[in-house]
Amino acid sequence: MTRLRVVHKAVLMMILGVVMTEPARAYEVDLSAGKTTVRGQITLRGPAPPAERVTVLRDSAFCGEAVTNESLLVDRSSNGVAVVVVSLEGVTAGKPLPDERRLALENRACRFSPRVKAVPAGSQLEINNADPVLHNTHIRKSDATFLNVALPPGGKTIRKPLADPGRLDVRCDAHRFMQATIHVFAHPYFAVTDQAGKFELTQVPPGTYRLRVWHEILGMQERTVTVPAQGQAIANMELQAPN
Ligand SMILES: [Cu+2]
């Protein structure tokens, strides 16, 4: 190996070492940090496909012969996409996390309710079954099982702390059409879009961040947003309709 290559390799290892050992900066509360509101609308590019009907293979006497897939909800007048999870990534200090630290996930009418939810880290997940049929709640994080519990009719509430940030995929193994997603954030700059696809993030400190949006079937996408010291920043995004 030439001397130059050795030097290059040493420099590369140094750079890798710095990148790999640098810890993710933990979020800190700084009440004076942010005054700006970031708002926007997430819309669908292209026509919304018709809602799919899924045949029920088990417990159809209670669940029905078929259920409507409710994963893509588009506002007809504005093309706004509902229940998109929006977050601002890269804010290191700002307002406190929301006080609400409880997420009730109900099995009701052969659906998970809510279907999509974003909560602060440290929230308590409480799962129950309101139906007269057996469900189970199988939660995976990055394909590894996070929780897998049977929920017999009239059974007790299952509790599980959501300590770490990340995305949890929730399924019922008895009814494959039952699906939910829980997003856990270690900072307070997250929202779920309303029926018109609109969102609002308040008390954002000035800076340039990544606005990340996630939808159950439209996937994840990011854009940059620059936030001024006061007033507001508009951050709209279009998501491509499925073929
Ligand atoms: Cu079920």
Side-chain angles (χ1 to χ4, degrees), residues 52-234:
E52 183 190 4
R53 292 284 285 171
V54 184
T55 305
V56 175
L57 302 173
R58 190 161 162 179
D59 301 314
S60 55
F62 175 75
C63 299
E65 297 295 327
V67 295
T68 303
N69 184 337
E70 293 162 333
S71 57
L72 181 58
L73 304 171
V74 181
D75 179 43
R76 284 181 181 214
S77 60
S78 67
N79 255 11
V81 185
V83 288
V84 176
V85 178
V86 179
S87 63
L88 211 50
E89 302 298 333
V91 186
T92 53
K95 67 178 177 180
L97 269 70
D99 289 335
E100 182 67 47
R101 300 285 169 89
R102 182 177 156 268
L103 169 54
L105 181 69
E106 195 164 48
N107 291 248
R108 179 179 285 275
C110 302
R111 286 171 177 79
F112 287 114
S113 178
R115 186 178 179 114
V116 175
K117 187 75 179 175
V119 296
S123 294
Q124 176 86 337
L125 175 63
E126 298 180 0
I127 312 164
N128 66 52
N129 180 10
D131 289 343
V133 297
L134 173 71
H135 293 293
N136 94 308
T137 297
H138 192 165
I139 306 181
R140 292 179 183 84
K141 187 174 183 178
S142 305
D143 291 331
T145 292
F146 175 78
L147 179 74
N148 189 5
V149 286
L151 292 153
K156 64 181 189 330
T157 300
I158 308 284
R159 291 182 173 81
K160 174 88 175 171
L162 304 173
D164 301 316
R167 191 176 80 227
L168 300 167
D169 297 305
V170 186
R171 295 277 182 161
C172 171
D173 294 326
H175 310 102
R176 290 306 177 96
F177 52 86
M178 290 179 65
Q179 186 173 352
T181 312
I182 301 167
H183 296 249
V184 184
F185 289 98
H187 62 76
Y189 298 103
F190 61 84
V192 178
T193 58
D194 65 15
Q195 288 189 336
K198 291 183 176 172
F199 71 91
E200 192 175 274
L201 302 163
T202 61
Q203 292 177 269
V204 182
T208 297
Y209 311 106
R210 283 171 294 122
L211 185 84
R212 181 179 294 168
V213 307
W214 175 96
H215 182 270
E216 189 183 304
I217 60 168
L218 303 175
M220 183 138 73
Q221 205 169 307
E222 289 189 349
R223 60 159 283 184
T224 300
V225 56
T226 297
V227 177
Q230 52 194 327
Q232 64 171 350
I234 303 293

Side-chain angles (χ1 to χ4, degrees), residues 15-46:
I15 292 168
L16 279 176
V18 168
V19 170
M20 290 169 77
T21 55
E22 189 185 17
R25 279 182 72 182
Y27 182 77
E28 286 172 17
V29 175
D30 177 358
L31 294 174
S32 65
K35 296 184 179 68
T36 309
T37 297
V38 176
R39 53 170 59 96
Q41 187 179 27
I42 310 301
T43 51
L44 190 70
R45 187 192 307 125

